[in-house]
Amino acid sequence: MDSTFGRVTVTLPSLNEPGLYLSNVSTLDSARGIVQDFQYTDANLRDLDLTDTSLITGRVTGLRVDRLQLDKVRLDSVEFDTCDLATARITDAKLSRVAFRNCKIMGGQLTGVTLDNVLFENCKLDYSSFEQVRATGSLVFSKCVLNEATFTGSDLSRAVLDACSLRLAEFGRGKYQDLDLRGNDLSTVRGTANLGKVIIDRTQQSELAEALVSELDVTFADTLDDRR
C-alpha cells in the first residue's frame, strides 16, 4: 500500500490483502529468531528485550511496555498502532515497510538504524534522539510531536516532516539534502546552519531567520543601555 506525502511516496505494510492470515501470538520472542504473519494485541509489559530477531508481516496493537530494547532487529512489513513504547532503545536495526501510528516513544533512542519506507504518523516523539540514522528509502514523519528531539550524524536526505511540532528540535551535523520541511513552524528549531539544501516554502524564510538569530544570542542595539 502506497501513501504520498509531498514529493515522496512511502510503501507501507499491506496487512489486509485477501488470503493473508495473521495468527495471534502471545510473545514477540522466538527460539527461531523469526516471528512471521502475526498479530500481537493489548500486551502490558514491564520489559521487552529482543536481539537478533526478525518480525515479518504483522501488526502490533495496544502494546504498553515500560522498557523496550530492540538490538540488531529486522522489522519488515510491520504496523504498530496505538502503542506506548515509553523510552524505547532501538540499535543497529533495519526497518522496511514499517508504520508507527498513534504511538508514544517519549525520550526514545534510535541509534545506527536503517529506515526504508517508514512512516511515523500522529506519534509523540518528544525528547527522542536519532543518532546515525539512515533513510535508505522513503521516511515520513506526519503530524508528529518532535519537541526537543535531536538528530545527530543522520542521513535524512529526501525525508519528509509534514505538519509536525518541532519546538526546540535540534538538527546536528548530518545530511539533509531535499529534506522536506514545508508545513512546519521552524522558528524555534536549533542547528539551522546544518540545514543546507532542505526544501521550505518562501514564507518559512523568516522562521529560519528567527531561529538563527535566537541561536546566535545576538544583542539588538535598541536594547542597549545608553548609559554604557
Side-chain angles (χ1 to χ4, degrees):
M1 180 178 66
D2 292 344
S3 294
T4 300
F5 299 84
R7 305 192 310 165
V8 170
T9 297
V10 56
T11 301
L12 300 174
S14 297
L15 303 178
N16 297 314
E17 290 184 346
L20 177 62
Y21 177 75
L22 301 180
S23 300
N24 290 319
V25 297
S26 58
T27 179
L28 294 177
D29 205 355
S30 169
R32 298 186 303 115
I34 299 176
V35 180
Q36 189 167 5
D37 297 339
F38 67 93
Q39 186 162 281
Y40 188 56
T41 306
D42 295 330
N44 194 347
L45 307 176
R46 176 173 295 179
D47 295 286
L48 178 58
D49 193 339
L50 300 178
T51 302
D52 290 318
T53 299
S54 295
L55 305 181
I56 302 173
T57 311
R59 180 182 287 119
V60 180
T61 306
L63 169 63
R64 295 171 296 280
V65 58
D66 294 334
R67 176 185 170 276
L68 174 65
Q69 177 75 49
L70 303 179
D71 183 40
K72 298 180 177 66
V73 167
R74 175 191 171 200
L75 304 181
D76 194 334
S77 296
V78 177
E79 178 181 283
F80 294 82
D81 193 355
T82 320
C83 295
D84 187 347
L85 306 180
T87 54
R89 301 290 184 267
I90 306 176
T91 56
D92 299 325
K94 181 174 182 179
L95 282 59
S96 300
R97 295 187 298 279
V98 174
F100 295 88
R101 292 189 173 93
N102 311 305
C103 293
K104 293 181 181 180
I105 312 177
M106 307 283 282
Q109 294 182 6
L110 282 73
T111 305
V113 177
T114 300
L115 304 172
D116 177 13
N117 284 283
V118 174
L119 169 67
F120 293 88
E121 185 173 38
N122 291 315
C123 292
K124 292 184 180 296
L125 298 157
D126 308 66
Y127 315 111
S128 291
S129 65
F130 300 80
E131 186 172 352
Q132 302 295 328
V133 168
R134 189 161 58 102
T136 59
S138 298
L139 170 62
V140 174
F141 296 86
S142 178
K143 300 177 182 177
C144 291
V145 180
L146 286 154
N147 295 337
E148 298 189 49
T150 60
F151 297 89
T152 307
S154 295
D155 185 351
L156 300 184
S157 303
R158 296 190 58 81
V160 174
L161 276 69
D162 171 55
C164 293
S165 177
L166 298 173
R167 183 177 58 82
L168 299 179
E170 183 169 354
F171 295 88
R173 291 187 177 182
K175 296 181 179 179
Y176 302 107
Q177 183 168 351
D178 292 332
L179 170 63
D180 194 338
L181 293 173
R182 292 175 292 178
N184 306 282
D185 182 351
L186 305 178
S187 61
T188 65
V189 300
R190 298 170 174 174
T192 52
N194 295 316
L195 292 176
K197 300 182 179 179
V198 299
I199 299 172
I200 63 172
D201 289 318
R202 291 190 181 278
T203 56
Q204 291 174 292
Q205 292 181 80
S206 59
E207 296 173 2
L208 277 182
E210 182 179 345
L212 179 59
V213 168
S214 178
E215 280 194 284
L216 294 175
D217 194 23
V218 302
T219 299
F220 292 99
D222 59 4
T223 66
L224 291 173
D225 191 334
D226 292 335
R227 293 172 296 178
R228 292 185 179 181

